[in-house]
Each structure stands twice: as C-alpha cells, then as structure tokens.
Amino acid sequence: MTMAGRTDYTVEKINEQIYRINEFNIMNCFLIIGEEKALLVDCGVGAGNMAEFVKTLTDKPVILAATHAHVDHIGAAWQFGKIHIHKGDAPIVWYQSSTKERVKYLKRHPSTEKFGLDYNNFAPQKSYLIPVTFGDNHKFDLGGITVEAVHTPGHSRGSVNFKIDKYNIMLVADNYISILNCRYAFAAPLSHWLKSAKAFLPVCEGYTLYGGHGQHPISPDVVKWLVKTVEDIIASTKKNDSFSNKKVKAVEDENGKNKVIYRTDMIL
C-alpha cells in the first residue's frame, strides 16, 4: 500500500458532531459535521489519504480550512483541491504544502519509523491547490452549527482559532499549546501574539481547548503561563536593542512542561 492510500488514522468522537482525527501521532485534525456540510480543520502532512478517510465519517460536502499554513497542517490539502486559509498565511501555502516540504518534514519526524511511513513512496500532488483566503472572524455556517475563525497571530502570521460556541469548544492548533514556537521566519512578533492572547484569555476559561498536537485538552493555566512569560520577555527587551542580532532563545517553566521559543529579532 502506498502512503497516499493509507487510511488507518486514529479517530475519537468528541460529541455527535465533532471528530478528532490523529495522523500517526504527528498532529490532530478536526471534523465538524453540520446538517448541510462539514468542515475539516487541518488535514495533516499527507502521510495517508485524508480525503478518502473523511468520507467514512460523513457523506456531507467537506470544506477544508486550516488553523495555519505549516506543512504538518496543510500537507494533504492537494487531496481536496481547495483550502480556506487566513489571508496572513496565504503567501506560504504552496511552498509549505509542496512534496519537497512534506518529505523533508517526515524525514525528521519520529512517527515516520514508528508507523512505517516510507517517504520514498510519498505520492506527489496530483491536482492544483487553490487557496481561498478569509479575514478576521470569518464564520463557516455548516447548518445547525457555526464555526468562527478568530485571528490569533503568533505561531504564524495568519494563525486562527476555530471557535465552536454551540459546544464551548476552541480548536487552538499550535498557538496555545504547552510549547509556543515563534522562531520560524513567518511567525508574528511576540507582541502581536500577546495582544491577541490577552483578548483570548478571558474567553478560554469557559471553553474546552483542543490543540493541534497532544492527546488531552489544554488547561487555561497553560495559556496563563504563556501570557505571563511573553509579558516578561517583552518587558526585558529594549526597543531596537536586539534586532540586528538574530538568535533563537527559549524560556521554560521549572518542570520543563511549558516553553516559549522565539527569535530575538521578532519580539516587539
């Protein structure tokens, strides 16, 4: 069986309308099924046939949308032909979803060996991918359930949370998990992340947070620690004192469970 044909994903039914699909311990995708159509939030690196697998869970028309345009979240997008993405991440969609980037990612991921993901047989894209951009607070009406994409720049410039008010669920991808990674070239400055995080913090107390990685919902305490840590980093940074000397730094808690990774030229 080629990698493009694999459909042995792990799936968890969160409730009657929402499934969490785990792609070989690489990342989590979420399928929200409405009365008229379904929304797939993220599609994985493409280590299998996600488009075919989703058909086993719903016969509704499926809209593909992404929390952000990193390869592990949009690598399988070509299987769908079209992906909805925040306009802030539109410039990196084609590069991040390319076969080159997908193979590069799998070569270094521990799941490749564990699950027998042979990147040498990685099927190349067979269709043209069309990015459909949206702005802040875009809403997907699926019929009987609405999902709102809330812009939360940080991990990438176009990162969004998917907010499902009907069930008080928030899909936060990589922006509020225990490791906030803002070291990539297309990340937003920490100050931008902090602004949206402060608005998000009071809301998240009443929601169950699901991340793009990991098995368990995220505690609001994780978000509080991230906010406090980023505040401290910004407070200790003088304007323009480090932008000419790019370094990657990390701050972690005393237990080593939570961490902020950032670039010194992308703080303010």
Side-chain angles (χ1 to χ4, degrees):
M1 180 184 294
T2 64
M3 289 186 63
R6 291 188 66 160
T7 56
D8 51 329
Y9 302 98
T10 301
V11 63
E12 171 194 358
K13 193 171 186 179
I14 294 175
N15 58 42
E16 289 303 310
Q17 291 185 278
I18 303 176
Y19 291 87
R20 177 167 59 175
I21 305 167
N22 179 270
E23 186 195 34
F24 310 112
N25 284 357
I26 296 172
M27 56 82 62
N28 298 315
C29 311
F30 295 86
L31 181 67
I32 303 102
I33 303 174
E35 296 172 2
E36 300 172 5
K37 44 198 167 185
L39 178 70
L40 179 64
V41 175
D42 293 338
C43 56
V45 71
N49 194 329
M50 181 62 72
E52 194 63 30
F53 179 73
V54 167
K55 292 177 183 178
T56 68
L57 300 176
T58 182
D59 58 1
K60 302 282 198 317
V62 176
I63 301 167
L64 173 63
T67 56
H68 61 292
H70 285 169
V71 61
D72 51 329
H73 293 256
I74 67 166
W78 64 273
Q79 298 174 7
F80 297 83
K82 184 184 296 184
I83 186 168
H84 295 254
I85 191 88
H86 187 274
K87 60 186 179 181
D89 272 8
I92 60 173
V93 168
W94 287 313
Y95 175 70
Q96 285 289 309
S97 63
S98 67
T99 299
K100 176 183 177 181
E101 284 300 297
R102 293 157 64 211
V103 170
K104 179 180 172 183
Y105 184 88
L106 277 185
K107 278 185 176 181
R108 66 176 187 264
H109 200 282
S111 284
T112 299
E113 182 176 355
K114 180 178 179 181
F115 289 91
L117 306 177
D118 183 5
Y119 53 79
N120 291 310
N121 290 326
F122 216 144
Q125 293 92 327
K126 296 179 181 178
S127 62
Y128 190 73
L129 177 60
I130 302 172
V132 180
T133 59
F134 57 80
D136 299 357
N137 305 105
H138 180 80
K139 294 183 178 180
F140 295 89
D141 184 357
L142 308 179
I145 185 170
T146 299
V147 182
E148 182 180 4
V150 183
H151 186 212
T152 54
H155 184 61
S156 75
R157 296 177 192 175
S159 286
V160 297
N161 293 338
F162 284 89
K163 188 165 170 270
I164 309 168
D165 288 336
K166 181 175 180 178
Y167 295 111
N168 285 359
I169 285 175
M170 198 95 70
L171 310 179
V172 301
D174 296 359
N175 230 10
Y176 298 107
I177 56 177
S178 58
I179 299 178
L180 172 61
N181 194 339
C182 292
R183 65 180 169 179
Y184 301 115
F186 211 72
L190 285 183
S191 59
H192 293 192
W193 178 91
L194 183 62
K195 182 179 179 180
S196 63
K198 283 186 171 180
F200 170 71
L201 192 54
V203 177
C204 79
E205 292 283 357
Y207 283 73
T208 301
L209 312 180
Y210 289 96
H213 305 272
Q215 298 180 349
H216 305 293
I218 300 159
S219 167
D221 290 339
V222 171
V223 184
K224 292 176 183 177
W225 184 89
L226 293 173
V227 167
K228 177 62 168 60
T229 302
V230 172
E231 283 180 332
D232 291 345
I233 293 170
I234 291 174
S236 64
T237 302
K238 295 180 180 180
K239 190 174 183 180
N240 297 327
D241 70 349
S242 62
F243 298 137
S244 61
N245 186 16
K246 182 178 72 175
K247 293 182 179 179
V248 175
K249 292 188 175 182
V251 178
E252 64 179 32
D253 66 8
E254 57 185 11
N255 298 314
K257 292 183 177 180
N258 301 312
K259 182 184 296 187
V260 175
I261 305 172
Y262 64 98
R263 279 173 37 172
T264 56
D265 62 334
M266 296 176 65
I267 297 175
L268 302 179

